[in-house]
Amino acid sequence: MARRALSISTGLGAAAIVIVVALTLGTIVPLLWIAEAPGRIVGADWAVLRFTVVQAFLSAVLSVLFAVPLARALARRQFWGRQALLLLLGAPFIVPVIVAVLGILAVWGRSGWLSDGLGALGLPALDIYGMTGVLLAHVFFNLPLVTRMLLTGWAAIRAEQFRLAAQLGFGPRDMLRHVEAPMLREVLPGAGLVVFLICLTSFAVALTLGGGPRATTLELAIYQSLRFDFDLSRAAMLALVQMGVALAAAILLLGLGRPAEFADALGRVAERYDTGGLWQDRLVIGAALLFLGLPMLAVVARGAPALLTLSASIWEAALRSVTIALAATAICFALSLAIAWVLSTGRAVLAEGMVLIGLTASSLVIGTGLFILLRPIVDPFALALPLTAVVNAVMGVPFALRVLLPAVATVRRGQGQLAASLGLSRGVWLRHVLLPGIRRPAGFALGLVAAFSMGDLGIIALFGTSATATLPLEMAQLMGAYRMEAAAGAGALLLILSFMLFAVFDAGGRYDHAR
């Protein structure tokens, strides 16, 4: 019976892989079918492609450059509040993009805190729309990601290397050159390419901060071609170009090897003997704290008073967002668990390929393919909410898989043979062995997917209407109409709900784990 259960589970995992690949790479088929001269770029589309690649490249470079001193300072210092700062580094993964953009505008925008300070000094206000705003927002989101990758790399350096360096009389510069630089050379290229892929498919940032035709990304151009011009051929061509660039970067990333991942060692500080540069480390950590913390503080400060005056449409949109987030989380968990079971046998290349497929995927590209497929059969706009849930679930699979796969592999190695010898059925194995064994990472993964789905502004912007608008779409519309107070209230509500969903799932995983 155990062997039969194993074969059924493997079959479910194979089916889950087919579903994910079909909804990501499979969308190429309808795009190829409808695109005129696929791959050819003419006229203004060259400028769109150039801006997309340049902003993604610059975002990756800036994120890496700023993350190195921050990660090094955190790896070298143990101080009060360090765990809180590490928690803050995880906030951009939970905070919806549209909310963070609102916070960035509240700090850096023309009517923001810094512009008010400059005005008091008789200086002109800041203008961050265009390339400047896009880069600023992307660094805000990706600086924590690269920092956590680098912290994992620093945690992997053996303590013996630090002791040997101390015996040789290494100072901070020698330590950086001979001990830390080899790790950085290994981790930084992969981390930079991950950021490049993320920024390549960024939509909400370009939509709100792009600032016009000169700052239009491929994602935004696809959205405009479908939503406003209804030019399916151009949308399909741009989607193919974007997927081609993303796949090329993903293949390069696969050739570089796997980038550093998150680890429990993030909270550990190895004993160091190069204690110089204290004030430089404090300055770097303080600057990062202000850069990451002020936008969130601005959202709370501006949005909290408006929470009491939110309109009924915003509350209805919030209910839709929560429903979609819960549905997407459930679908994502089912797909990720089934895939993790298949890949836990040691298929490392296939596992990395599944993750990279998710990184290259774009909700707008997937949505374009689905629109072309569904339009002859049914009105795609009538399926806005279920399509949003399904696409968000598929987009969350790579992140959930990263967290679940090591835990599933550990349980399978530890209890797999014992379960087989006892003849446990699939239901008993799942309920009493596998799920309890992965509860903590599963809670964390589900929390991330729920928060991500709660704040997504990709597929719903393509298919959503006034009757199906989610909270992020309501926020974007309010910001577009310059109703910033109402947008701030909706942003505060979205922030609260996203953190609540993450906290509920994460606490659920930790609660039973500690018993």
Side-chain angles (χ1 to χ4, degrees):
M1 182 174 293
R3 291 182 179 178
R4 179 174 177 269
L6 178 60
S7 65
I8 292 174
S9 299
T10 303
L12 290 175
I17 291 175
V18 170
I19 291 172
V20 172
V21 173
L23 284 174
T24 51
L25 296 183
T27 53
I28 294 178
V29 176
L31 297 177
L32 286 170
W33 179 265
I34 200 169
E36 294 179 1
R40 288 187 56 190
I41 310 176
V42 294
D45 293 336
W46 275 111
V48 174
L49 174 60
R50 186 165 49 250
F51 178 82
T52 302
V53 174
V54 169
Q55 64 84 20
F57 174 77
L58 292 178
S59 297
V61 170
L62 291 174
S63 298
V64 166
L65 286 178
F66 294 145
V68 170
L70 176 58
R72 189 169 191 251
L74 290 171
R76 280 156 47 94
R77 306 297 174 189
Q78 183 67 269
F79 53 89
W80 183 87
R82 184 175 183 274
Q83 292 300 322
L85 181 56
L86 290 175
L87 182 63
L88 179 62
L89 287 176
F93 302 106
I94 305 171
V95 176
V97 175
I98 191 69
V99 174
V101 168
L102 185 64
I104 289 171
L105 287 173
V107 176
W108 298 86
R110 294 170 184 166
S111 302
W113 293 350
L114 292 180
S115 292
D116 290 343
L118 292 174
L121 298 175
L123 299 174
L126 297 175
D127 183 5
I128 65 168
Y129 288 98
M131 176 69 83
T132 302
V134 171
L135 294 180
L136 182 65
H138 282 162
V139 172
F140 173 85
F141 285 109
N142 294 297
L143 173 63
L145 172 64
V146 181
T147 300
R148 290 174 72 97
M149 287 181 175
L150 295 181
L151 279 174
T152 306
W154 253 288
I157 299 176
R158 297 192 304 272
E160 291 80 3
Q161 292 181 265
F162 292 118
R163 287 197 291 268
L164 178 59
Q167 292 172 358
L168 295 175
F170 280 10
R173 291 185 179 179
D174 298 320
M175 189 75 71
L176 176 62
R177 180 180 178 183
H178 297 289
V179 178
E180 297 165 321
M183 177 274 296
L184 292 174
R185 284 194 295 268
E186 180 180 350
V187 175
L188 285 182
L193 272 173
V194 168
V195 175
F196 178 84
L197 283 169
I198 293 173
C199 296
L200 194 70
T201 58
S202 173
F203 171 67
V205 169
L207 178 66
T208 51
L209 295 175
R214 293 186 178 180
T216 298
T217 62
L218 286 169
E219 287 273 291
L220 189 54
I222 294 168
Y223 168 73
Q224 292 168 343
S225 297
L226 276 179
R227 191 76 186 194
F228 299 111
D229 304 330
F230 203 71
D231 188 345
L232 294 179
S233 176
R234 180 172 183 261
M237 184 272 294
L238 292 174
L240 285 172
V241 171
Q242 175 172 294
M243 185 167 283
V245 176
L247 284 174
I251 292 171
L252 181 58
L253 177 60
L254 188 61
L256 289 173
R258 298 176 66 177
E261 302 178 21
F262 301 125
D264 290 337
L266 288 177
R268 187 179 72 240
V269 179
E271 185 177 0
R272 300 284 295 257
Y273 305 92
D274 53 325
T275 56
L278 176 61
W279 286 106
Q280 293 92 324
D281 287 347
R282 288 178 175 176
L283 181 63
V284 168
I285 293 172
L289 182 62
L290 290 174
F291 179 70
L292 297 173
L294 281 180
M296 296 300 94
L297 179 62
V299 170
V300 175
R302 297 184 64 172
L307 281 173
L308 300 177
T309 59
L310 294 178
S311 64
S313 63
I314 292 179
W315 288 107
E316 292 171 358
L319 180 59
R320 294 188 202 103
S321 292
V322 172
T323 303
I324 290 173
L326 293 176
T329 302
I331 298 170
C332 180
F333 180 65
L335 292 173
S336 301
L337 184 60
I339 295 172
W341 177 261
V342 172
L343 302 183
S344 62
T345 55
R347 297 178 174 89
V349 175
L350 184 56
E352 191 65 19
M354 289 296 302
V355 172
L356 289 179
I357 285 174
L359 288 176
T360 59
S362 157
S363 59
L364 281 182
V365 172
I366 295 173
T368 303
L370 291 175
F371 186 91
I372 295 170
L373 282 174
L374 295 174
R375 185 166 170 259
I377 306 170
V378 67
D379 180 11
F381 297 100
L383 300 175
L385 297 182
L387 284 177
T388 301
V390 171
V391 173
N392 284 346
V394 172
M395 296 291 291
V397 165
F399 304 99
L401 194 59
R402 280 281 195 191
V403 179
L404 290 177
L405 182 55
V408 172
T410 300
V411 173
R412 187 168 189 168
R413 287 193 304 266
Q415 285 91 25
Q417 292 183 349
L418 177 60
S421 65
L422 294 175
L424 297 182
S425 66
R426 179 170 56 125
V428 173
W429 159 261
L430 184 68
R431 186 169 61 253
H432 295 289
V433 181
L434 183 58
L435 290 181
I438 66 170
R439 181 176 290 272
R440 183 164 188 171
F444 177 72
L446 293 180
L448 285 181
V449 173
F452 158 77
S453 181
M454 187 73 197
D456 180 60
L457 187 59
I459 191 77
I460 193 63
L462 197 60
F463 293 106
T465 63
S466 58
T468 58
T470 60
L471 195 50
L473 185 56
E474 283 278 347
M475 269 194 68
Q477 292 172 347
L478 290 170
M479 292 172 67
Y482 297 100
R483 297 173 57 190
M484 301 308 292
E485 292 302 321
L493 178 61
L494 182 55
L495 185 64
I496 292 170
L497 291 175
S498 298
F499 270 99
M500 283 181 60
L501 283 175
F502 174 79
V504 167
F505 281 110
D506 187 46
R510 288 186 287 106
Y511 171 74
D512 203 47
H513 179 82
R515 290 178 58 182

